[in-house]
Amino acid sequence: MRKLFAGTASASPPRIPDGQRVFAIGDIHGRLDLFEALMEAIEAEDQQRGPAQTTVILLGDLIDRGPASLGVLALARQWQQERRAAGKAMHILMGNHEEMLIHSLDRIEVLRQFVQHGGRETIMSFGIDEKTYADASWEELQTLMRQAVTQEWLDFIGTFEGSLRVGDYAFVHAGIRPGVALDDQTPADLRWIREPFLSSEQAHGSVIVHGHTIADAPEIRRNRIGIDTGAYQSGRLTALLLEGEEQLLLSTVVDEDKISIRLEK
């Protein structure tokens, strides 16, 4: 079995503290089917591994592009509530697509950008039918969205976090500005940055686990781990399992409309 650790920018491998376990899930983008399958696989893997202080982290961009954004939000909220009721941690990070959704309710120029980058599917998942969507002006569409995206969902999205640290890892949506401490990062960089983060080889103080930038396969670097595998188009939704010095991957595999789980050790 293959160990994924490929070295870090420090002298010793990064670690999750003893007794803890982390599952981080990349960009879901409205693929409820893949999210359900991966959620079940994570719970099964967690149970099989035995007792630990387990944390689940969704890295943001739950919505847009795929067909079931509202369904993904509903399942994420339900899972978070169930885990917290059982004394288990679950954190959801704010992605740039959630940010666009929120700002599009007040700013037409953001609404245009939101629609251009997959927001149409999100809008329709909230119950606005295709003809109504197609016939609406930008102002009318914004009004329809304000009615459809109720306060309960805005409140839920408002709980999404900017970043999280566990052991030698830091979890963000897009990345960080190299040379800037994690606590000093701007929300814009945490949710939107690509360069100079992606090509940077410098140590960041923590190994940065992120989504946002699609790759054909997870990118395991010395200073960062990218796990956005383009689920909405590829059918591969990826989770990173961290325990001690282990770095393992769980991902969905779609074959003839059947979803299975691949575990790479």
Side-chain angles (χ1 to χ4, degrees):
M1 294 184 290
R2 183 169 60 92
K3 188 175 181 183
L4 296 175
F5 174 64
T8 68
S10 61
S12 58
R15 287 187 56 85
I16 294 294
D18 292 343
Q20 296 190 39
R21 183 180 303 140
V22 174
F23 295 89
I25 301 177
D27 302 32
I28 302 167
H29 277 307
R31 286 298 302 264
L32 177 60
D33 55 344
L34 305 181
F35 183 33
E36 286 178 322
L38 192 57
M39 179 189 72
E40 292 172 1
I42 285 172
E43 291 290 359
E45 181 70 19
D46 190 36
Q47 184 174 10
Q48 180 178 331
R49 284 176 162 261
Q53 182 182 335
T54 303
T55 300
V56 171
I57 305 166
L58 307 187
L59 295 179
D61 281 5
L62 282 65
I63 64 169
D64 293 354
R65 295 176 171 162
S69 290
L70 179 55
V72 170
L73 288 172
L75 182 58
R77 183 174 66 175
Q78 177 186 335
W79 193 18
Q80 186 178 60
Q81 290 171 344
E82 291 174 350
R83 287 188 61 81
R84 289 180 174 176
K88 301 177 182 179
M90 179 168 168
H91 299 265
I92 307 175
L93 304 187
M94 178 78 75
N96 60 304
H97 285 258
E98 285 84 27
E99 180 184 87
M100 283 192 290
L101 170 61
I102 292 171
H103 292 323
S104 68
L105 299 174
D106 298 311
R107 296 163 56 190
I108 292 292
E109 69 275 15
V110 178
L111 176 56
R112 293 175 187 269
Q113 182 185 26
F114 177 63
V115 167
Q116 182 181 357
H117 292 90
R120 172 183 178 276
E121 288 77 10
T122 295
I123 293 168
M124 296 180 71
S125 80
F126 273 90
I128 298 173
D129 65 80
E130 188 170 0
K131 185 177 187 306
T132 301
Y133 172 88
D135 291 344
S137 66
W138 288 110
E139 290 75 14
E140 290 168 341
L141 182 59
Q142 190 176 62
T143 298
L144 290 167
M145 286 180 61
R146 288 171 179 163
Q147 296 168 349
V149 184
T150 59
Q151 192 61 47
E152 67 169 313
W153 293 115
L154 294 177
D155 290 343
F156 175 55
I157 295 170
T159 67
F160 293 5
E161 302 169 58
S163 63
L164 183 72
R165 286 191 186 93
V166 183
D168 294 327
Y169 295 87
F171 302 83
V172 301
H173 173 63
I176 65 168
R177 179 73 53 182
V180 178
L182 185 63
D183 291 341
D184 296 328
Q185 297 286 328
T186 67
D189 282 338
L190 292 174
R191 298 169 191 167
W192 290 90
I193 199 169
R194 287 196 168 93
E195 296 298 347
F197 168 68
L198 295 175
S199 59
S200 174
E201 296 183 0
Q202 73 180 77
H204 301 307
S206 301
V207 175
I208 307 299
V209 180
H210 66 95
H212 186 60
T213 299
I214 295 174
D216 292 336
E219 295 186 318
I220 314 294
R221 303 286 182 86
R222 294 181 300 171
N223 59 357
R224 68 175 182 88
I225 301 175
I227 57 171
D228 182 0
T229 45
Y232 73 97
Q233 59 185 2
S234 69
R236 180 174 183 177
L237 178 62
T238 298
L240 175 68
L241 165 56
L242 302 169
E243 185 166 10
E245 294 180 3
E246 280 189 298
Q247 298 176 336
L248 312 176
L249 296 171
L250 290 85
S251 58
T252 58
V253 179
V254 179
D255 183 20
E256 296 183 352
D257 296 327
K258 295 181 180 180
I259 301 173
S260 59
I261 299 295
R262 175 187 298 149
L263 174 64
E264 299 178 68
K265 296 185 177 182

